[in-house]
Amino acid sequence: PLNDESIDDEGGASLADLLKRAGATRTEVAAAKKIRADNAEVIEYLLDDAGFTAQDVSEMLATKPALARTALVEPAKETVEFLNATFNLRKCDLRKIFREQPGLLLPSPTNNVIRDTGACPAVLATASGGPAAGPRQETSTNVYDVVYLLSSVGVKPKNIKEMVVRWPQLLTLPVAQMLAVTDYLGSLNFEGTVGSLYRQHPWVLAAPVGTVRRAVEVLVDEIGVRRLENVVRAYPRALVKGRDDLLEPARLLQDVGLEREDVVLVIEAFPLLFGLEPLATRGVLAFWRDELGLKKNDVPRVCRAFPSLLGVDVQRQRKVVAFLREIGVVNVARFATRLPPVLAYDVDADLRPKMAHLAASALSVYDVVRFPAYFSYPLDTVIRPRTAFLEANGLPLTRFELKTLFTGGDAQFAKRVVGASPSEYASFKAAFLKELANPTPKPRGGLLAAFVKPEVTPATGKAFP
């Protein structure tokens, strides 16, 4: 119960006492006493009716002290209840949204006037409550505008909910800003909807439309990108990059020998190139040339075929090169040009176990040099089951080239290499993988000892019925 000192001149509880009553710490109460509270009704509503904790409200006041001065209960209550009713938010999500954006509870300074931003009439009508947006309350706040705009471009309510919880700033964006960006992106005639772009990257709604327009002009007119939608959806931050930042990767690729047409193809295949640090990319190219020893003509070939390698840390690639030399590969550059992705593999988790598996089967680096792609096959789901099946059938691995064992699918391997039916190998593989996933005490010799071939009978005619 409050004592006489906890009652302000108007008969209501003071801000500090409201927080104290809700379980605030001494530090939070002390901070509240420093805030001039002309109207604590919203604070009282948040604590008593809306389910916010003293810590929530203290954080909100630290960001927006005006909550205790100019906030009005009815508009604040409308906003909270609108979000709750529209999205059926979990209490923790509702609290998160307003903790991060307490300004949503303040009166809108613009009264939500839709300004002329050059957006098409249909978009303006939608955001101002036109037919596409459906019925709308006259006293709506910016929160309503955001929700209706997103609905009008095809974002489903469940997706709007996810966007709002993940990026609450979305609810504070000016409607004019969102209209301008939406109108411009719509003019690009992408196959997918603008809404699907917003769903994955809600921050795009905050991108200055002038910046977006200039970025698109650089991508299309200066670099020559034709599949703009692919680039934007894979790396939307290209839309807010400056001209020099966008041109830098293209220049790097041209410097190592790629023609303009090839540069465009690389960018369209790997738009994340725009997100790489130019210095790091230059370091990769220098490593290929100076340490790995790739030929001048091989560098553009690798860039064209595997542009993502430009984003692999040099130290990781250096470790791969050291491993290949360690196992006896003499011409590592040649090996890498035959299997460029090997430069991105994990030495300890991938390459070393695969090499050890070969060595245990009496094979050597000579066999790997003849077929570098061996390292590209999964150890547990392809390499080990096949070699185990060969052993179960009395066929030594040394009898075959690695290329023969691994290039075909499971059915081809069973029929052409082992002379068994695909179903026989499928059963063996299933048992093998099951044992890998759920190791059990094995008979001496492990799985192979437990795998007993059925006797050949006149009925079956072969060992594997």
Side-chain angles (χ1 to χ4, degrees):
L2 300 172
N3 56 36
D4 291 342
E5 294 179 354
S6 66
I7 305 297
D8 62 22
D9 294 339
E10 309 220 348
S14 70
L15 178 60
D17 284 311
L18 285 171
L19 289 171
K20 186 176 181 180
R21 186 177 69 190
T25 64
R26 290 183 179 181
T27 303
E28 291 167 344
V29 171
K33 289 180 178 179
K34 297 177 182 178
I35 297 174
R36 182 168 60 86
D38 299 332
N39 181 3
E41 289 182 354
V42 168
I43 304 303
E44 192 168 4
Y45 160 72
L46 293 174
L47 291 170
D48 294 347
D49 301 324
F52 287 78
T53 67
Q55 183 180 354
D56 294 334
V57 173
S58 296
E59 288 182 23
M60 293 159 70
L61 284 168
T63 306
K64 288 288 181 184
L67 285 175
R69 293 197 295 269
T70 59
L72 302 174
V73 171
E74 286 309 312
K77 186 177 180 180
E78 259 188 35
T79 301
V80 172
E81 291 182 353
F82 172 77
L83 287 177
N84 239 340
T86 304
F87 303 122
N88 191 26
L89 291 166
R90 295 181 302 170
K91 185 66 70 176
C92 61
D93 290 334
L94 183 72
R95 291 164 50 207
K96 174 182 182 293
I97 290 170
F98 288 102
R99 269 202 318 270
E100 294 186 21
Q101 299 298 327
L104 293 169
L105 297 169
L106 295 173
S108 173
T110 61
N111 201 26
N112 300 295
V113 175
I114 304 296
R115 297 185 178 85
D116 181 6
T117 62
C120 68
V123 174
L124 286 169
T126 294
S128 59
R136 179 171 177 227
Q137 301 179 33
E138 290 299 322
T139 58
S140 66
T141 65
N142 191 59
V143 172
Y144 294 83
D145 292 325
V146 174
V147 173
Y148 284 121
L149 177 60
L150 291 172
S151 297
S152 73
V153 294
V155 184
K156 296 179 180 178
K158 68 175 184 179
N159 298 127
I160 300 178
K161 173 182 175 179
E162 293 170 358
M163 294 165 64
V164 167
V165 171
R166 192 177 70 208
W167 204 62
Q169 300 97 307
L170 182 65
L171 296 172
T172 68
L173 295 179
V175 176
Q177 155 69 29
M178 295 187 292
L179 285 172
V181 172
T182 299
D183 189 34
Y184 178 70
L185 291 176
S187 73
L188 298 176
N189 298 316
F190 289 164
E191 289 185 12
T193 64
V194 175
S196 63
L197 178 63
Y198 293 160
R199 188 176 69 245
Q200 293 180 311
H201 309 283
W203 62 265
V204 173
L205 280 157
V209 70
T211 301
V212 173
R213 184 182 290 111
R214 286 190 292 273
V216 169
E217 289 170 355
V218 173
L219 289 168
V220 175
D221 299 335
E222 298 193 50
I223 295 178
V225 170
R226 294 180 297 270
R227 297 161 62 197
L228 178 65
E229 182 172 4
N230 284 26
V231 173
V232 169
R233 290 190 182 277
Y235 188 68
R237 292 200 177 276
L239 294 173
V240 292
K241 292 273 187 179
R243 180 175 180 271
D244 290 342
D245 289 336
L246 291 172
L247 290 177
E248 179 71 11
R251 290 171 181 150
L252 281 175
L253 293 175
Q254 288 180 318
D255 288 347
V256 297
L258 271 76
E259 300 294 333
R260 186 172 187 268
E261 183 70 17
D262 289 329
V263 169
V264 172
L265 292 175
V266 167
I267 288 173
E268 290 176 346
F270 185 60
L272 290 177
L273 190 63
F274 290 121
L276 302 180
E277 285 293 331
L279 187 62
T281 305
R282 289 183 184 278
V284 170
L285 292 169
F287 171 76
W288 289 354
R289 182 186 64 244
D290 301 333
E291 293 188 47
L292 179 56
L294 290 185
K295 295 179 181 177
K296 185 177 180 180
N297 292 337
D298 286 333
V299 173
R301 285 177 48 215
V302 172
C303 289
R304 280 194 301 269
F306 301 96
S308 62
L309 288 176
L310 292 167
V312 178
D313 182 68
V314 167
Q315 291 303 323
R316 186 185 185 99
Q317 299 191 45
R318 186 174 284 128
K319 191 173 181 180
V320 171
V321 171
F323 169 76
L324 293 175
R325 288 175 177 154
E326 173 192 326
I327 64 173
V329 177
V330 177
N331 192 340
V332 176
R334 170 65 178 156
F335 191 99
T337 56
R338 294 177 64 194
L339 184 69
V342 75
L343 295 171
Y345 293 172
D346 187 296
V347 170
D348 296 322
D350 197 9
L351 297 179
R352 199 174 294 282
K354 288 176 181 177
M355 192 63 213
H357 185 79
L358 278 189
S361 301
L363 295 180
S364 68
V365 67
Y366 171 77
D367 300 281
V368 177
V369 169
R370 294 183 64 186
F371 186 60
Y374 164 77
F375 282 130
S376 67
Y377 291 92
L379 179 62
D380 288 340
T381 58
V382 174
I383 296 173
R384 292 180 65 183
R386 292 193 183 185
T387 53
F389 193 58
L390 288 173
E391 187 177 342
N393 282 272
L395 299 171
L397 195 61
T398 52
R399 180 174 168 181
F400 306 93
E401 291 187 1
L402 293 180
K403 181 178 180 180
T404 303
L405 296 179
F406 299 114
T407 51
D410 283 351
Q412 184 177 340
F413 163 74
K415 288 190 294 185
R416 297 186 180 180
V417 178
V418 184
S421 72
S423 61
E424 291 164 7
Y425 178 61
S427 297
F428 179 90
K429 183 176 180 179
F432 186 92
L433 295 179
K434 183 177 180 181
E435 181 173 315
L436 279 182
N438 304 289
T440 56
K442 308 178 186 71
R444 192 171 183 180
L447 175 69
L448 300 182
F451 186 79
V452 180
K453 298 182 187 179
E455 294 295 328
V456 178
T457 66
T460 61
K462 55 183 179 177
F464 289 82

